[in-house]
Amino acid sequence: MDNTHRTMANEAASLPENEGAARTLNFLEEIIEADLAAGKYKSILTRFPPEPNGYLHVGHAKSICLNFGLAKRYGGKTNLRFDDTNPAKEETEYVDSIKEDVRWLGFEWANEFYASDYFDQLYEWACVLIKKGLAYVDDQSQEEIRRTRGTVMQPGVNSPFRNRSIEENADLFRRMRAGEFPDGAKVLRAKIDMAHPNMLMRDPLMYRIIHTGHHRTGNRWCIYPMYDYAHGESDSIENITHSICTLEFDVHRPLYDWFIEKLEIFPSRQYEFARLNLTYTVMSKRKLLELVKNKYVAGWDDPRMPTICGMRRRGYTPESIRLFAEKVGVAKRDNVIDLSLLEWCVREDLNKRANRYMAVLDPLKVVITNYPEGATEEMEAVNNPEDENAGKRRIPFSREIYIEREDFMENPPKKYFRLSPGNEVRLRYAYIIKCEEVVKDAAGNITELHCTYDPGTRSGSGNGRQVKGTVHWVSAAHAGCAEVRLFDRLFTEARMDNIPEDKDYKDFINAGSLRTVTAFIEPALKALPHLAHVQFERLGYFTVDADAMPGKPVFNRTVTLKDTWAKVAGK
Ligand code: ATP
Ligand code: MG
């Protein structure tokens, strides 16, 4: 074993399950391994650079897992850098939520930085470029600048201000900063090439005038750097070795490199991977903000939102999201990932950690007529067959119980193994019962069932008698009442990235994405803490919502036990 392999093996041993498994390297890992092998860097430094203008979503989660995951795998570090160069849209509320979400996902950053911390340095470097004759102040409006940029086929037109002297540029830029000019009166542009085949290299903007307060720098600045100028320079200031961003930035890379080369600063390098897209949802912050503002959802953390706080409230775990990020992998081409993969990861993780309980969402009363009135006995149940440490509990059983309305059929088809007149079914952890009578109201609705039980069939009593169906139940006298929120996909259309042009994404909001029911729950479910993960047997995984209060349990359905949508879609 050579050294590299030993390091890798040790690393892998400390990685969470599924992340250290043998698999081929993705292209970023190949690049990093080559860089490390060539001695290009002693250790790697990545960054996660959110703009604090909204809450993080599952796409950001992918980027977080990638940036932090790579650093962790190769013994490096990751900075959290708020890309707060745009004064108007940014708020401290978002900064706080972003930090909470990154930590919740299980990652700790080496440093917390703000691009706005670099405004002085960026300004100085702009002055350096002016002195080198590589930047100039342009008096044209942004509209004029756009018009004279040319097209992919045609070169742009040089600005009449392009040949200002270095002294004049330096003086004007200083006065831009001093606040002598109104918004839009002037901009600073890099002097590259108005005929460059890459449109972004045609004298791109570096600074514009915006007389607006900033959430951190207050009114100290009235000129703000553009993304392309600020981002690479910020990477370089921090000595970021691998600056990983999404594919749409590949055309920006020559400019990223140009600034670094001309300024002769630390050579950070940019690498692009495919943005994560998911079916049945939208991820643009503008759209998510609109859903919140116009109250299509209850807030950023509505459990139907693809936001990290929404997924948390819904009952997704950090482990399941990290597993999802790993499964999605790192692609070089844009793709749309099926939401059912994310749900599969959630089930995979909750199956191991969620204790099983019984709850009835759509109750039908069953009276066991030969069971002694007023008697109660306790049935023993295994909390989690996947986890021996989860222990056992006792569930009260009595004469009147609730079962799921769905688990009874008056006129069943062949091969219906649940309850029907004259038929037997096992009550989970309890007895075999037989339906003797169906009680109806005047309108013909079934109000309750009268059954008899076979006392010799108590679960675990070793009685060999078998029946085909087992149903869950709760004892009526002992049950608690809970509000249960049943979530479904927020949109009816899988490919929300590809809706017809004459439609708006809001036309596809799923009207049935939230259904609230009142359920009966077994006593052990009455007082669980917020975000406890449970399985309601045969129904799905659920979690305790933030709205729950003592005596008033509220559950969110995290995910059903099986993928019902795949069936609907005929897959
Ligand atoms: P929006 O365009 O909706 O405002 P954004 O990409 O501008 O989102 P940022 O806050 O700038 O949001 O993103 C921070 C980081 O997360 C960036 O590095 C960005 O590339 C990455 N990121 C954002 N969305 C996705 C996604 N869907 N998949 C993977 N990475 C993403
Ligand atoms: Mg962005």
Side-chain angles (χ1 to χ4, degrees):
M1 235 197 209
D2 65 31
N3 258 335
T4 355
H5 280 111
R6 203 168 307 137
T7 326
M8 284 298 297
N10 291 342
E11 284 290 328
S14 66
L15 287 168
E17 220 185 326
N18 295 307
E19 289 178 22
R23 55 160 175 75
T24 53
L25 298 181
N26 65 48
F27 78 95
L28 291 169
E29 290 164 343
E30 277 174 6
I31 289 167
I32 291 170
E33 292 201 4
D35 285 347
L36 289 173
K40 200 163 160 190
Y41 311 108
K42 273 207 230 58
S43 66
I44 68 160
L45 186 59
T46 60
R47 88 286 172 263
F48 173 63
E51 193 178 335
N53 63 349
Y55 281 68
L56 298 182
H57 52 60
V58 60
H60 295 115
K62 168 72 211 170
S63 172
I64 291 167
C65 291
L66 185 60
N67 280 296
F68 283 88
L70 284 171
K72 199 166 161 189
R73 187 175 292 264
Y74 294 103
K77 292 194 166 115
T78 305
N79 287 344
L80 175 61
R81 183 198 316 140
F82 291 100
D83 187 359
D84 58 349
T85 51
N86 195 350
K89 293 185 296 179
E90 291 149 6
E91 289 175 33
T92 311
E93 172 198 348
Y94 297 131
V95 168
D96 295 338
S97 79
I98 288 168
K99 291 200 276 188
E100 183 186 356
D101 289 349
V102 174
R103 282 208 178 98
W104 179 75
L105 274 177
F107 300 108
E108 196 49 58
W109 46 92
N111 301 287
E112 175 183 331
F113 289 135
Y114 293 79
S116 57
D117 293 341
Y118 309 141
F119 281 171
D120 286 296
Q121 177 68 77
L122 294 173
Y123 178 82
E124 273 173 39
W125 279 341
C127 294
V128 169
L129 291 176
I130 290 171
K131 283 214 185 75
K132 288 187 171 188
L134 293 172
Y136 63 97
V137 172
D138 195 341
D139 296 2
Q140 294 182 107
S141 69
Q142 290 200 33
E143 178 46 38
E144 274 169 305
I145 292 172
R146 207 169 302 125
R147 244 186 308 112
T148 51
R149 260 174 90 209
T151 64
V152 182
M153 308 301 291
Q154 263 187 336
V157 179
N158 283 351
S159 162
F161 303 97
R162 199 173 196 264
N163 291 321
R164 275 180 161 149
S165 69
I166 288 173
E167 291 68 34
E168 191 183 1
N169 280 321
D171 179 57
L172 286 173
F173 187 52
R174 185 188 52 76
R175 289 165 57 197
M176 274 169 69
R177 178 195 182 162
E180 285 188 26
F181 310 112
D183 286 8
K186 291 180 170 23
V187 293
L188 184 72
R189 297 177 76 176
K191 193 170 180 177
I192 305 179
D193 178 2
M194 287 304 289
H196 200 288
N198 180 339
M199 300 279 291
L200 290 173
M201 298 294 275
R202 293 185 186 173
D203 291 9
L205 301 197
M206 291 170 60
Y207 273 91
R208 66 253 197 258
I209 302 172
I210 308 176
H211 289 271
T212 298
H214 182 279
H215 78 124
R216 294 190 91 231
T217 58
N219 290 322
R220 264 186 1 127
W221 294 89
C222 62
I223 55 170
Y224 290 93
M226 302 297 290
Y227 173 90
D228 279 322
Y229 177 61
H231 202 87
E233 283 44 49
S234 302
D235 284 343
S236 183
I237 290 170
E238 294 175 20
N239 286 0
I240 299 297
T241 55
H242 299 80
S243 175
I244 299 160
C245 62
T246 42
L247 224 50
E248 67 274 20
F249 286 99
D250 66 342
V251 286
H252 296 247
R253 191 174 354 104
L255 186 53
Y256 182 104
D257 292 340
W258 189 88
F259 283 125
I260 284 179
E261 186 197 315
K262 299 300 176 198
L263 288 167
E264 299 171 66
I265 54 181
F266 181 84
S268 298
R269 287 283 170 262
Q270 176 187 298
Y271 302 93
E272 307 88 20
F273 75 103
R275 174 172 279 272
L276 169 74
N277 297 299
L278 258 191
T279 55
Y280 298 102
T281 196
V282 295
M283 271 191 250
S284 118
K285 283 185 209 158
R286 180 184 63 75
K287 290 177 184 166
L288 295 176
L289 181 64
E290 194 180 4
L291 290 172
V292 172
K293 284 239 158 96
N294 297 341
K295 305 218 182 321
Y296 291 100
V297 294
W300 284 101
D301 67 346
D302 185 298
R304 292 166 291 178
M305 291 280 272
T307 49
I308 295 181
C309 54
M311 295 191 289
R312 174 166 63 230
R313 187 164 181 183
R314 174 125 175 197
Y316 290 13
T317 55
E319 292 82 357
S320 60
I321 297 170
R322 295 204 302 260
L323 175 61
F324 173 67
E326 181 69 17
K327 294 262 173 225
V328 166
V330 188
K332 263 275 183 196
R333 283 238 209 116
D334 276 323
N335 52 7
V336 181
I337 304 292
D338 207 315
L339 182 57
S340 53
L341 177 63
L342 175 56
E343 294 180 340
W344 181 88
C345 293
V346 174
R347 286 187 197 102
E348 187 75 5
D349 184 51
L350 290 180
N351 179 41
K352 285 179 269 165
R353 73 175 67 241
N355 283 353
R356 276 61 168 164
Y357 294 92
M358 293 201 285
V360 174
L361 301 188
D362 184 14
L364 173 61
K365 188 175 251 186
V366 172
V367 181
I368 302 164
T369 52
N370 61 339
Y371 194 86
E373 255 174 85
T376 299
E377 61 188 300
E378 295 204 315
M379 304 303 182
E380 194 175 71
V382 172
N383 285 330
N384 184 353
E386 303 290 325
D387 175 7
E388 5 181 283
N389 299 322
K392 294 181 176 171
R393 73 180 185 292
R394 295 181 163 278
I395 311 169
F397 180 80
S398 63
R399 190 170 191 264
E400 297 194 353
I401 61 171
Y402 294 109
I403 65 164
E404 213 69 61
R405 204 162 264 278
E406 240 194 22
D407 286 334
F408 174 76
M409 263 185 115
E410 197 171 12
N411 301 300
K414 264 191 198 158
K415 299 210 169 170
Y416 183 80
F417 297 125
R418 289 172 276 167
L419 204 55
S420 59
N423 230 3
E424 283 188 328
V425 79
R426 175 171 285 285
L427 296 175
R428 181 100 164 116
Y429 307 117
Y431 298 101
I432 293 177
I433 58 168
K434 181 174 182 182
C435 176
E436 310 282 359
E437 189 190 348
V438 181
V439 182
K440 295 183 182 173
D441 64 12
N445 300 309
I446 300 171
T447 52
E448 59 183 51
L449 305 177
H450 289 175
C451 295
T452 51
Y453 84 116
D454 177 349
T457 57
R458 189 179 153 130
S459 184
S461 69
N463 181 301
R465 205 152 81 76
Q466 299 273 335
V467 286
K468 284 238 164 89
T470 300
V471 302
H472 60 275
W473 53 274
V474 293
S475 162
H478 304 90
C481 236
E483 177 182 331
V484 177
R485 300 172 183 171
L486 303 171
F487 300 108
D488 203 341
R489 306 186 164 183
L490 189 49
F491 294 94
T492 52
E493 190 57 41
R495 293 295 304 270
M496 290 303 293
D497 59 317
N498 204 16
I499 55 177
E501 280 197 6
D502 57 337
K503 296 271 189 188
D504 182 79
Y505 76 97
K506 295 192 289 302
D507 298 338
F508 297 95
I509 289 181
N510 178 5
S513 63
L514 168 60
R515 193 160 63 84
T516 302
V517 298
T518 303
F520 287 116
I521 56 176
E522 65 162 275
L525 283 171
K526 286 184 196 173
L528 292 173
H530 286 160
L531 292 183
H533 301 288
V534 296
Q535 184 193 100
F536 291 176
E537 294 208 40
R538 300 179 63 228
L539 298 175
Y541 293 101
F542 291 76
T543 193
V544 182
D545 188 75
D547 289 342
M549 286 184 298
K552 188 185 165 286
V554 181
F555 287 92
N556 294 328
R557 183 171 67 197
T558 307
V559 66
T560 52
L561 290 180
K562 287 199 195 107
D563 187 352
T564 48
W565 276 70
K567 258 188 255 146
V568 174
K571 274 184 267 171

